[in-house]
Amino acid sequence: MSLIERKPGDRQTIALETTDTTHLAASKKRLSAAQRKWLEQTGFEAAPGSIALLPDANGKLQRVLAGVDAGDALNAIAHLPKTLPEGSYHLADEGVLADPAQAALGWALGAYEFTRYRKARRAPATLAVKAAELKTLAPLVDATAQVRDLVNTPTEDMGPKQLAEAVNQLGKAYKAKVREWVGDELLKANFPTIHAVGRASHRAPRLIELTWGKSGDPLLSVVGKGVCFDTGGLDLKAADGMRWMKKDMGGAAHAIALARLIMDAKLPLRLQLLIPAVENAVSGNALRPGEVVITRAGLSVEIDNTDAEGRLVLCDALTYAGEQQPDLIVDFATLTGAARVALGPDLPALFANRDELAEQALAAGQAVQDPLWRLPLWRPYRKMLDSYLADFANSGASRHAGAITAALYLERFVADTTPWLHLDTYAWNDGDRPGRPRGGEAMGLRALFVLLQKRYVRA
Ligand code: BES
Ligand code: ZN
Ligand code: ZN
């Protein structure tokens, strides 16, 4: 971890002062004449992202000035753990950031590197923070790193079984109960859609369930799309569309990480985590376009496109979740390309069957710089999934409103009486940015955790 505890009276760590163009003059007053001269000579103007390393009279690194955008605490210092010289720093009290804890979170998120297949390129610089800050930040940092690790891991090392192992590890760590239905057990227990999507893979499909908490507490169900690889099935994706589909279990990664945050914080609720884990593969027994599958809910679905598999594995999991009348169902899924067309990579699409719940989720996201954007469950578009022989199809001829029609499909499996949130998330950074390294990414995780804290923790 790139965050360490700052002990009272600490003199070891180097002061890191955040500043900007309007505060640069004040920052300079705290420096020696030689240091001020150095800033002039090197043209330091406190532009966001710029840094000045300031030596003392003996040439030892004494202080760092970091230009920041004070309105963007999360990303203000996120580039520093990989650009500052190795060592330990602390944020000087004179800095311009209103929320140093948020900046420290950004630092830790920026220090991440995926090291399963190669060594870290360098050790990150560490930031010393107050013990209380470290205590609230560490679980968020660890949960985000887990999402990234799970998503970054290639399918060969992150199949349905490995997803189950991740849930089992959680179960052990937090004394939760884990059970699974594997392969044909899915048919016996009536999870036909999960089996249908996953049956063509040599790695058996499964539904993984973790349960935790005290009876009497309200029940929260968290569901995550665990498509460990999405070839598209017989409606095979082209190479470009398939290239990154190891990340199609990103929803599952978010669900697992949220479960971990909930149990770590001991939120007063009963948790049910559900991961339908499959590979959408091609083989002789693959699900064909035109087939009709009878879902767990008893509704018949015509397979219009085998590439719309996420909603298929989710629908039986959502039905199962609803059977215990939960207080709330939350699902995460890398469900549609259309959500990315609508909102781009950084804004998960939020769908909710309660306005108040949606507003709370949006507000939570804004408060912790983990933004969500709401799209409507526009009922008239249901007809885009009309089937000529089944109750409805899993996709239709039109590509219009693809994120909405996918959400409308899921909505049919959630009772109107059950509050429900659906996040269609990208779970990926296409390029490197400060605090947001290229590869797997948590998007909407902190927002949802804050929402749940507000909903379930009495003030
Ligand atoms: N996993 C994809 C969606 C996806 C694609 C997410 C790219 C993020 C990036 C999903 O299973 C899928 O293929 N959806 C189709 C649905 C269509 C066939 C109705 C899509 O979005 O094109
Ligand atoms: Zn697909
Ligand atoms: Zn998919």
Side-chain angles (χ1 to χ4, degrees):
M1 249 278 263
S2 64
L3 299 180
I4 55 171
E5 185 183 330
R6 185 165 186 210
K7 300 270 169 21
D10 152 56
R11 273 154 208 259
Q12 301 300 307
T13 63
I14 298 159
L16 165 63
E17 181 183 332
T18 57
T19 187
D20 54 23
T21 43
T22 50
H23 294 88
L24 183 56
S27 298
K28 280 184 176 168
K29 290 201 181 119
R30 288 182 267 277
L31 305 179
S32 69
Q35 290 172 329
R36 281 198 294 271
K37 183 89 184 164
W38 174 251
L39 289 186
E40 252 163 59
Q41 293 275 299
T42 55
F44 181 77
E45 286 170 349
S50 64
I51 54 173
L53 302 174
L54 299 167
D56 65 13
N58 299 314
K60 193 167 168 270
L61 181 57
Q62 195 220 359
R63 191 175 185 85
V64 178
L65 286 186
V68 298
D69 169 1
D72 184 6
L74 184 62
N75 300 307
I77 59 171
H79 57 301
L80 296 181
K82 288 184 179 175
T83 50
L84 287 179
E86 265 182 52
S88 296
Y89 300 80
H90 68 268
L91 282 171
D93 292 336
E94 301 88 3
V96 296
L97 297 174
D99 189 350
Q102 182 76 344
L105 175 61
W107 174 291
L109 299 182
Y112 172 87
E113 196 167 339
F114 184 55
T115 54
R116 182 164 173 156
Y117 303 102
R118 71 175 179 209
K119 285 202 201 83
R121 276 164 290 184
R122 54 159 288 187
T126 57
L127 186 69
V129 299
K130 290 189 203 107
E133 251 168 47
L134 187 59
K135 209 168 157 236
T136 51
L137 294 180
L140 294 171
V141 175
D142 292 343
T144 305
Q146 185 174 25
V147 172
R148 292 169 172 179
D149 285 347
L150 289 171
V151 174
N152 283 330
T153 305
T155 309
E156 196 60 27
D157 291 330
M158 190 48 63
K161 190 169 155 199
Q162 285 82 2
L163 269 186
E165 271 163 25
V167 177
N168 270 307
Q169 273 178 16
L170 263 197
K172 282 216 185 81
Y174 295 100
K175 297 195 169 71
K177 225 178 91 188
V178 179
R179 76 192 270 218
E180 289 188 74
W181 296 267
V182 184
D184 288 344
E185 288 166 12
L186 288 167
L187 292 177
K188 266 187 244 134
N190 194 22
F191 295 104
T193 61
I194 300 171
H195 184 270
V197 171
R199 73 190 183 203
S201 172
H202 65 291
R203 299 151 101 191
R206 44 181 91 203
L207 176 64
I208 310 152
E209 178 184 41
L210 173 148
T211 47
W212 172 90
K214 280 200 301 285
S215 62
D217 283 341
L219 176 62
L220 167 74
S221 213
V222 181
V223 184
K225 172 179 171 181
V227 176
C228 295
F229 195 86
D230 184 7
T231 65
L234 291 176
D235 286 305
L236 199 65
K237 287 179 183 293
D240 280 359
M242 203 188 299
R243 175 62 182 90
W244 299 108
M245 280 298 122
K246 68 170 183 178
K247 78 178 180 73
D248 214 18
M249 34 56 71
H254 280 72
I256 290 169
L258 184 60
R260 172 180 174 158
L261 285 171
I262 289 166
M263 295 190 290
D264 192 74
K266 300 187 178 70
L267 292 191
L269 53 79
R270 275 185 305 137
L271 172 68
Q272 176 189 47
L273 170 69
L274 289 171
I275 309 290
V278 303
E279 244 188 283
N280 189 19
V282 176
S283 83
N285 67 340
L287 182 62
R288 293 178 277 281
E291 298 293 352
V292 174
V293 180
I294 311 296
T295 62
R296 180 181 186 85
L299 297 164
S300 60
V301 52
E302 180 185 9
I303 308 306
D304 174 75
N305 192 317
T306 61
D307 199 8
E309 84 298 339
R311 63 198 78 181
L312 291 173
V313 299
L314 288 173
C315 72
D316 277 358
L318 288 171
T319 302
Y320 179 63
E323 283 162 16
Q324 297 190 56
Q325 280 94 40
D327 178 65
L328 173 64
I329 300 179
V330 176
D331 81 72
F332 294 89
T334 51
L335 199 61
T336 67
R340 309 289 63 87
V341 174
L343 298 174
D346 298 341
L347 279 176
L350 172 76
F351 294 87
N353 62 356
R354 296 279 188 292
D355 288 342
E356 200 192 37
L357 194 56
E359 274 149 32
Q360 288 163 355
L362 296 178
Q366 212 167 22
V368 295
Q369 287 191 270
D370 189 17
L372 308 169
W373 204 268
R374 191 181 186 191
L375 293 180
L377 289 162
W378 185 252
R379 286 284 178 98
Y381 290 168
R382 268 194 181 181
K383 67 173 181 300
M384 292 200 219
L385 299 188
D386 277 353
S387 162
Y388 87 101
L389 81 176
D391 287 322
F392 42 83
N394 74 332
S395 75
S398 169
R399 287 287 105 113
H400 289 168
I404 297 175
T405 52
L408 285 169
Y409 176 95
L410 297 180
E411 191 198 20
R412 290 178 183 270
F413 297 88
V414 179
D416 290 340
T417 48
T418 306
W420 167 60
L421 286 172
H422 159 56
L423 268 80
D424 190 339
T425 187
Y426 193 48
W428 191 261
N429 294 317
D430 288 318
D432 265 317
R433 287 170 296 179
R436 290 179 279 186
R438 181 175 172 184
E441 185 60 289
M443 298 177 172
L445 175 67
R446 283 178 290 119
L448 266 285
F449 181 55
V450 168
L451 171 82
L452 296 176
Q453 283 178 312
K454 289 235 164 84
R455 186 177 175 95
Y456 294 108
V457 183
R458 297 153 290 253

Coordinates of all heavy atoms in Angstrom, one line a residue, residues 225 230 237 241 245 247-248 305 307-311 334-338 340 394-395 399 425-426, ligand 1:
K225 N -22.6 -9.4 -13.3 CA -22.4 -10.2 -14.5 C -21.0 -10.7 -14.6 O -20.0 -10.0 -14.6 CB -22.7 -9.3 -15.8 CG -22.3 -9.9 -17.1 CD -22.6 -9.0 -18.3 CE -22.0 -9.6 -19.6 NZ -22.2 -8.7 -20.8
D230 N -16.5 -13.0 -23.5 CA -17.6 -12.9 -24.3 C -17.2 -12.9 -25.8 O -16.8 -11.9 -26.4 CB -18.4 -11.6 -24.0 CG -19.6 -11.4 -24.8 OD1 -20.0 -12.4 -25.5 OD2 -20.3 -10.3 -24.7
K237 N -18.5 -12.1 -32.3 CA -18.0 -10.8 -32.4 C -16.8 -10.7 -33.4 O -16.1 -11.7 -33.6 CB -17.4 -10.3 -31.1 CG -18.5 -10.0 -30.0 CD -17.8 -9.5 -28.7 CE -18.8 -9.2 -27.6 NZ -19.7 -8.1 -27.9
G241 N -14.1 -6.1 -31.6 CA -15.1 -6.2 -30.5 C -14.8 -7.2 -29.5 O -15.3 -7.1 -28.4
M245 N -12.7 -8.6 -24.3 CA -13.9 -9.2 -23.7 C -13.5 -10.1 -22.5 O -14.4 -10.6 -21.9 CB -14.8 -9.9 -24.7 CG -15.6 -8.9 -25.4 SD -16.8 -8.0 -24.3 CE -16.3 -6.3 -24.6
K247 N -12.8 -8.6 -20.0 CA -13.3 -7.7 -19.0 C -14.8 -7.9 -18.8 O -15.4 -7.1 -18.0 CB -12.9 -6.3 -19.3 CG -13.8 -5.7 -20.3 CD -13.4 -4.2 -20.6 CE -14.3 -3.5 -21.6 NZ -15.6 -3.2 -21.1
D248 N -15.4 -8.8 -19.4 CA -16.9 -8.9 -19.4 C -17.4 -9.5 -18.0 O -18.6 -9.6 -17.8 CB -17.4 -9.7 -20.5 CG -18.8 -9.2 -21.0 OD1 -19.1 -8.0 -20.7 OD2 -19.5 -9.9 -21.7
N305 N -30.1 -12.8 -30.4 CA -28.7 -12.6 -30.6 C -28.0 -13.2 -29.4 O -28.2 -12.9 -28.2 CB -28.4 -11.1 -30.7 CG -27.0 -10.8 -31.2 OD1 -26.0 -11.5 -30.8 ND2 -26.9 -9.9 -32.1
D307 N -25.1 -12.8 -28.6 CA -24.2 -11.8 -28.0 C -24.8 -10.9 -26.9 O -24.2 -10.2 -26.1 CB -23.6 -10.9 -29.1 CG -22.3 -10.2 -28.6 OD1 -21.8 -10.5 -27.5 OD2 -21.8 -9.3 -29.4
A308 N -26.2 -11.0 -26.8 CA -26.9 -10.3 -25.7 C -27.0 -11.3 -24.6 O -28.1 -11.7 -24.2 CB -28.2 -9.8 -26.2
E309 N -25.9 -11.8 -24.1 CA -25.9 -12.9 -23.1 C -25.9 -12.4 -21.7 O -26.3 -13.2 -20.8 CB -24.6 -13.8 -23.4 CG -23.3 -13.3 -22.7 CD -22.8 -11.9 -23.2 OE1 -23.2 -11.5 -24.3 OE2 -22.1 -11.3 -22.4
G310 N -25.4 -11.2 -21.5 CA -25.4 -10.7 -20.1 C -26.7 -10.6 -19.5 O -26.9 -11.1 -18.3
R311 N -27.7 -10.1 -20.2 CA -29.1 -10.0 -19.7 C -29.6 -11.4 -19.4 O -30.5 -11.6 -18.5 CB -30.0 -9.2 -20.6 CG -30.1 -9.8 -22.0 CD -30.6 -8.8 -23.0 NE -29.6 -7.9 -23.5 CZ -29.7 -6.9 -24.4 NH1 -30.9 -6.7 -24.8 NH2 -28.7 -6.2 -24.7
T334 N -21.2 -5.1 -17.3 CA -20.7 -4.6 -18.6 C -21.7 -5.0 -19.7 O -21.4 -5.9 -20.4 CB -19.3 -5.1 -18.9 OG1 -19.3 -6.5 -18.8 CG2 -18.3 -4.5 -17.9
L335 N -22.8 -4.4 -19.7 CA -24.0 -5.0 -20.4 C -24.1 -4.6 -21.8 O -24.4 -5.5 -22.7 CB -25.3 -4.6 -19.6 CG -26.5 -5.5 -19.9 CD1 -26.2 -7.0 -19.5 CD2 -27.7 -5.0 -19.3
T336 N -23.8 -3.3 -22.2 CA -24.1 -2.9 -23.6 C -23.0 -2.0 -24.1 O -22.5 -1.1 -23.3 CB -25.4 -2.2 -23.7 OG1 -25.4 -1.0 -23.1 CG2 -26.6 -3.0 -23.2
G337 N -22.7 -2.1 -25.4 CA -21.8 -1.1 -26.0 C -22.6 0.2 -26.2 O -22.0 1.3 -26.2
A338 N -23.9 0.1 -26.2 CA -24.8 1.2 -26.4 C -24.7 2.2 -25.2 O -24.8 3.4 -25.4 CB -26.2 0.8 -26.6
R340 N -22.0 2.9 -23.7 CA -20.8 3.6 -24.0 C -21.0 4.6 -25.1 O -20.4 5.7 -25.1 CB -19.6 2.7 -24.3 CG -19.4 1.5 -23.3 CD -18.9 2.0 -22.0 NE -19.7 2.9 -21.2 CZ -20.6 2.6 -20.3 NH1 -20.9 1.3 -20.1 NH2 -21.3 3.5 -19.6
N394 N -34.3 -11.5 -26.5 CA -33.3 -10.9 -25.7 C -32.6 -9.7 -26.4 O -31.8 -8.9 -25.9 CB -32.2 -11.9 -25.3 CG -31.3 -12.3 -26.5 OD1 -31.8 -12.3 -27.6 ND2 -30.1 -12.7 -26.2
S395 N -33.0 -9.5 -27.7 CA -32.6 -8.2 -28.4 C -33.5 -8.1 -29.6 O -34.3 -9.0 -29.9 CB -31.1 -8.2 -28.8 OG -30.9 -9.1 -29.9
R399 N -30.9 -1.1 -33.2 CA -29.8 -0.8 -32.3 C -30.1 0.4 -31.4 O -29.3 0.8 -30.5 CB -28.5 -0.6 -33.0 CG -27.9 -1.8 -33.6 CD -27.3 -2.7 -32.6 NE -28.1 -3.9 -32.4 CZ -27.8 -5.1 -32.7 NH1 -26.7 -5.4 -33.2 NH2 -28.7 -6.1 -32.5
T425 N -21.8 -0.6 -16.7 CA -20.5 0.1 -16.5 C -19.5 -0.5 -17.4 O -19.6 -1.6 -17.9 CB -20.1 -0.1 -15.0 OG1 -18.9 0.7 -14.7 CG2 -19.8 -1.5 -14.6
Y426 N -18.5 0.3 -17.7 CA -17.4 -0.1 -18.7 C -16.3 -0.9 -18.0 O -15.7 -1.8 -18.6 CB -16.9 1.2 -19.3 CG -16.0 1.0 -20.5 CD1 -16.4 0.2 -21.6 CD2 -14.8 1.7 -20.7 CE1 -15.6 0.1 -22.7 CE2 -14.0 1.6 -21.8 CZ -14.4 0.8 -22.8 OH -13.6 0.7 -23.9
Ligands
BES1 N1 -20.3 -7.5 -23.2 C1 -21.1 -6.9 -24.3 C2 -21.2 -5.4 -24.1 C3 -20.0 -4.6 -24.1 C4 -19.3 -4.4 -25.3 C5 -19.6 -3.9 -23.0 C6 -18.2 -3.6 -25.3 C7 -18.5 -3.1 -23.0 C8 -17.8 -2.9 -24.2 C9 -22.5 -7.5 -24.4 O1 -22.6 -8.8 -24.0 C10 -22.9 -7.3 -25.8 O2 -22.2 -7.9 -26.6 N2 -23.9 -6.6 -26.0 C11 -24.4 -6.3 -27.3 C12 -25.9 -6.4 -27.3 C13 -26.6 -6.5 -28.6 C14 -26.2 -7.8 -29.3 C15 -28.1 -6.4 -28.4 C16 -24.0 -4.9 -27.8 O3 -23.9 -4.0 -26.9 O4 -23.7 -4.7 -28.9

